[in-house]
Amino acid sequence: LRDSQQADIKYLSKWSKWKKANSKSLKKVLSEAKGLSSYLVLWRRDIHSIEGRFGTGIQSYFSFLRFLALLSFIIFILMFSFITLPTIISDYGIFNSTVANISPKNTDYNCSIYEPSGNKGLVYFYTYLQDLLSGTGFLEVTRLFYGYYTVDAVWISVMRYNLPLAYLLATFAYLALSFLWIIKRSVEGFKQNLVHDADPFQSYCNKVFAGWDFCITDPNAAQLKHRSLQYELQMDLEEERLKQKIADRTIKEELRIYSLRIFINIIVIAILSGCFYSIYRVTVFSQEKSNVSIRNDIRTDSANLLVQYLPSIVITLANFIGPQIFSFLIKFEDYLPAFEIILTLMRCVFLRLANIGVLLFSLWSQISNCAADKCEPCGYNYKLYPCWESDVGQEMYKLMIFDFIIILGMTLFVDFPRKLLVTHCSCKPVQWYGLAEFRISDNVLEIIYGQTICWIGTFFSPLLPAIATVKYFIIFYIKKISLIHARKPADRPIRASSSNFFFLAVLLIGLILAFIPVGVSIASIPSSKACGPFRNFNTSWEVVPDTIRGFPKGLQQVLFGMASEAFAVPFFMVICLIMFYFMALAGAHKRVVERLEEQLALESRDKMFLIRKITEAKRH
């Protein structure tokens, strides 16, 4: 082959030879650069070490945590570059820059009153600690929250930078970036799952012939992998037995099981309703008491901090108790083992993410509480919430801080004391209780919950992604130390734990949930008239048509035409036709694959037939 290629090169022109040599050199350089860049990957050595000791299942959790840390960091860079940095440049007069502050237009005087509870004069150290934990006081008047950015435009030399428009576009950009990045990473996992689930028999072949994880170097991890494979094979056989049992059920047994499932689902709905109602009542109580304390300047009372954190405490308790009850109830519903895991996880995901939704609904019900003409001049409850966006940002900030405190506290005050007890106490109850398991599903739901808070809170607190990035960095090392020194890998890992597709699918649910409150805040709820970049607009979205009105007439007509029903209906029809075409194409490809599989089966039968004939001929 080499001789043939050398012979072909002789007949090439000098230009072709030079181009081919350059192409070869470029490929070599790119290959070496790619190899070198792998050494710059965050936590590369740590994750490889974890993979070697505990296998690819636990490694996938830490890889997922790294992905969220990078995603949060990029969101922070985006928000800082387009929102925070222009205000810093203008404050210090860099590049001869100046700032044009927003002056209220056609706004009632009462709506523009906003007096943040910043620290004045000498204060106790405890007050600074309380402000740091709750986002009030000196933090409320910093760039961390929405209320600080009361800037209409930044003039850098002769260029005008429209900060309200940049704020809105940066919000759309970080949501779109997150969505596209998750979809891109999900595609590979989805393809593997699709191929894996195409043939049930393939699952047995993979476990028997390709189930071993050759990255494992630790003997304990090897024993764990043995048990894991054994458990998975037992679960497969148990599923086959249960499927046969389900097929043999009588009508009486089916009625009993379905009645029991309906009853258990009613209990689950009651638990969820109780959690949601508790969060709603606690949030209303916390907001009322906090606002009274701020108006009366009661800021040194230790009970005030507890009142402010009540919603976060109740949400954390619901997130802890709910999954325990769901795991207990699922045993009585008589589902297949794999479906039991999926249903329990979906209930836990719904509980965690819906709790955030209920908290936001509770806040919005207070913000939009217009009884007795409370919202008359402004469109929202301006007496309790003169800058409601900052209040929502403070709630998201408290949720994130409390979530981090709980993770840190569980490791330091639960996992390590339990490890010491198991190591140094030979009592049978203690030894039976053993070390805590490192459950991948629980840990994944934990960080997805935190990332959902980050997505929702970034609009109300532009620097919240920076806090999330630092949080993920610390959590990585906390979880690593906990895994190595204080916990043990789960004996029964979920099947999806070895695939990032499962993590990303749940993460996508969290992102879709984040779209709703951010979208409602931008398009429906009146923006605060006392703070923020949108104080001269009825809603945050109005900055877009207001900017378009400054364009030339022709461009205005094109853009408004694209937003009209006359364009939207035909565009929707074209999209539907394209979707139906791809669905038909996918169906055709599926039929071709089925025919090829049938041909392969026939060819194997033909080979077996010929082998038998040859064997018979040799005998005769």
Side-chain angles (χ1 to χ4, degrees):
L1 180 63
R2 186 161 55 250
D3 292 341
S4 174
Q5 288 177 350
Q6 292 295 331
D8 291 340
I9 289 172
K10 291 179 182 177
Y11 301 104
L12 293 175
S13 64
K14 289 183 179 180
W15 168 251
S16 299
K17 288 179 181 179
W18 181 83
K19 193 164 65 171
K20 193 165 185 177
N22 275 1
S23 175
K24 191 175 179 181
S25 301
L26 183 62
K27 284 180 181 178
K28 188 177 180 181
V29 169
L30 290 174
S31 177
E32 290 178 356
K34 189 176 180 182
L36 289 171
S37 65
S38 65
Y39 290 97
L40 302 176
V41 175
L42 182 65
W43 298 321
R44 173 178 171 272
R45 188 172 296 176
D46 296 291
I47 290 176
H48 281 180
S49 172
I50 290 166
E51 184 180 16
R53 291 188 64 176
F54 304 103
T56 53
I58 291 177
Q59 174 267 338
S60 62
Y61 162 75
F62 285 94
S63 297
F64 183 67
L65 182 57
R66 176 175 61 189
F67 165 66
L68 290 186
L70 291 173
L71 178 62
S72 297
F73 180 70
I74 290 171
I75 293 173
F76 160 66
I77 293 296
L78 183 70
M79 300 300 285
F80 181 81
S81 302
F82 291 98
I83 298 173
T84 309
L85 187 60
T87 61
I88 295 173
I89 289 171
S90 62
D91 286 349
Y92 290 96
I94 303 170
F95 307 122
N96 295 323
S97 57
T98 56
V99 63
N101 288 313
I102 300 173
S103 55
K105 298 175 183 176
N106 303 321
T107 302
D108 190 276
Y109 173 73
N110 292 325
C111 300
S112 61
I113 298 173
Y114 175 48
E115 297 176 352
S117 55
N119 297 324
K120 297 175 183 178
L122 293 172
V123 293
Y124 293 106
F125 174 75
Y126 167 81
T127 305
Y128 283 109
L129 183 61
Q130 179 179 334
D131 293 341
L132 193 64
L133 290 173
S134 61
T136 54
F138 76 94
L139 272 182
E140 190 174 355
V141 292
T142 62
R143 291 182 174 86
L144 179 60
F145 292 110
Y146 171 95
Y148 178 87
Y149 300 91
T150 54
V151 175
D152 183 52
V154 175
W155 287 93
I156 302 173
S157 189
V158 294
M159 185 183 72
R160 183 179 184 273
Y161 186 79
N162 189 337
L163 190 69
L165 182 64
Y167 199 107
L168 191 65
L169 293 180
T171 302
F172 293 152
Y174 84 76
L175 291 172
L177 172 70
S178 302
F179 181 76
L180 293 174
W181 200 352
I182 293 170
I183 292 294
K184 181 180 179 297
R185 287 178 65 97
S186 301
V187 167
E188 284 302 318
F190 178 71
K191 287 178 181 176
Q192 291 172 8
N193 280 19
L194 203 62
V195 172
H196 183 269
D197 296 338
D199 184 8
F201 183 71
Q202 189 180 12
S203 174
Y204 292 102
C205 293
N206 284 340
K207 288 181 181 66
V208 174
F209 296 107
W212 187 249
D213 186 353
F214 288 94
C215 294
I216 294 174
T217 57
D218 185 68
N220 293 328
Q223 290 179 6
L224 179 70
K225 185 64 178 178
H226 276 291
R227 290 198 298 270
S228 174
L229 284 171
Q230 183 183 2
Y231 165 70
E232 287 192 12
L233 288 168
Q234 285 175 345
M235 195 164 67
D236 286 338
L237 295 171
E238 181 68 13
E239 280 191 10
E240 293 299 327
R241 188 185 67 78
L242 287 173
K243 284 178 182 177
Q244 187 62 42
K245 183 182 174 182
I246 290 167
D248 297 337
R249 278 177 186 164
T250 61
I251 296 173
K252 185 178 178 181
E253 288 175 338
E254 287 187 352
L255 285 172
R256 182 186 65 81
I257 288 167
Y258 284 121
S259 301
L260 185 61
R261 286 177 183 175
I262 291 168
F263 176 69
I264 289 173
N265 278 293
I266 290 170
I267 294 174
V268 170
I269 292 168
I271 292 167
L272 292 172
S273 302
C275 291
F276 298 158
Y277 181 74
S278 301
I279 293 166
Y280 174 78
R281 295 305 308 167
V282 163
T283 304
V284 172
F285 173 80
S286 173
Q287 291 295 306
E288 288 176 351
K289 293 296 180 183
S290 297
N291 284 315
V292 168
S293 298
I294 289 169
R295 282 202 304 270
N296 297 330
D297 202 24
I298 307 171
R299 305 185 62 244
T300 57
D301 188 3
S302 58
N304 187 35
L305 183 62
L306 180 64
V307 168
Q308 290 184 22
Y309 263 91
L310 268 179
S312 302
I313 293 168
V314 172
I315 287 173
T316 303
L317 285 173
N319 291 342
F320 177 75
I321 296 169
Q324 306 296 327
I325 298 172
F326 297 154
S327 299
F328 174 75
L329 291 175
I330 197 73
K331 296 174 184 177
F332 300 99
E333 295 187 74
D334 203 14
Y335 288 115
L336 295 174
F339 186 73
E340 275 188 12
I341 293 167
I342 293 169
L343 183 60
T344 306
L345 287 174
M346 288 300 105
R347 284 172 177 171
C348 295
V349 168
F350 180 77
L351 174 66
R352 281 179 175 270
L353 301 184
N355 282 344
I356 303 173
V358 172
L359 172 67
L360 292 169
F361 173 78
S362 307
L363 288 170
W364 286 333
S365 66
Q366 293 295 298
I367 293 164
S368 306
N369 183 11
C370 296
D373 297 329
K374 292 180 183 178
C375 311
E376 188 61 37
C378 310
Y380 59 93
N381 192 343
Y382 66 94
K383 291 182 180 178
L384 288 179
Y385 301 96
C387 184
W388 65 265
E389 291 92 345
S390 287
D391 289 323
V392 175
Q394 286 169 359
E395 289 300 323
M396 295 297 104
Y397 173 83
K398 283 185 282 189
L399 277 177
M400 182 165 287
I401 296 295
F402 193 70
D403 182 53
F404 173 70
I405 291 170
I406 291 295
I407 293 170
L408 186 63
M410 287 293 291
T411 303
L412 294 178
F413 303 113
V414 177
D415 292 345
F416 279 102
R418 184 171 172 178
K419 166 72 173 179
L420 291 172
L421 274 174
V422 173
T423 306
H424 299 289
C425 182
S426 57
C427 301
K428 285 186 178 180
V430 173
Q431 294 300 318
W432 175 80
Y433 195 53
L435 294 176
E437 288 188 346
F438 190 88
R439 294 182 180 176
I440 300 170
S441 57
D442 294 345
N443 284 281
V444 167
L445 294 181
E446 198 174 69
I447 57 175
I448 288 174
Y449 167 77
Q451 186 60 37
T452 306
I453 293 170
C454 177
W455 278 323
I456 295 172
T458 301
F459 177 74
F460 309 102
S461 176
L463 298 183
L464 197 64
I467 299 171
T469 305
V470 174
K471 173 188 164 186
Y472 289 138
F473 265 79
I474 298 171
I475 285 176
F476 180 89
Y477 291 104
I478 289 172
K479 294 294 182 182
K480 181 188 170 186
I481 293 167
S482 174
L483 173 64
I484 294 171
H485 299 290
R487 287 185 176 240
K488 63 177 182 179
D491 291 330
R492 296 184 173 185
I494 61 169
R495 293 180 183 178
S497 64
S498 60
S499 173
N500 282 328
F501 174 70
F502 169 74
F503 302 158
L504 293 165
V506 179
L507 185 64
L508 191 61
I509 295 171
L511 178 60
I512 292 168
L513 176 74
F515 285 159
I516 299 169
V518 175
V520 169
S521 301
I522 290 171
S524 298
I525 302 178
S527 54
S528 297
K529 304 299 183 289
C531 69
F534 306 106
R535 60 191 299 188
N536 283 333
F537 301 99
N538 289 328
T539 61
S540 304
W541 175 253
E542 283 193 4
V543 71
V544 175
D546 183 74
T547 305
I548 291 174
R549 290 188 192 99
F551 293 165
K553 286 286 183 182
L555 185 58
Q556 283 187 45
Q557 291 175 354
V558 170
L559 293 173
F560 283 124
M562 289 174 67
S564 65
E565 294 85 351
F567 177 82
V569 173
F571 180 75
F572 178 73
M573 292 176 67
V574 169
I575 291 294
C576 288
L577 289 171
I578 293 170
M579 184 181 68
F580 288 136
Y581 167 74
F582 280 109
M583 287 172 65
L585 195 64
H589 287 162
K590 186 179 179 181
R591 287 193 294 272
V592 170
V593 169
E594 288 173 354
R595 288 177 185 174
L596 289 172
E597 286 176 347
E598 290 173 3
Q599 287 178 15
L600 285 171
L602 288 171
E603 284 185 8
S604 65
R605 289 172 191 167
D606 291 342
K607 286 177 182 177
M608 293 300 296
F609 175 76
L610 290 172
I611 288 168
R612 282 198 299 269
K613 287 294 183 183
I614 292 167
T615 307
E616 289 173 3
K618 283 182 179 179
R619 285 176 182 173
H620 295 298

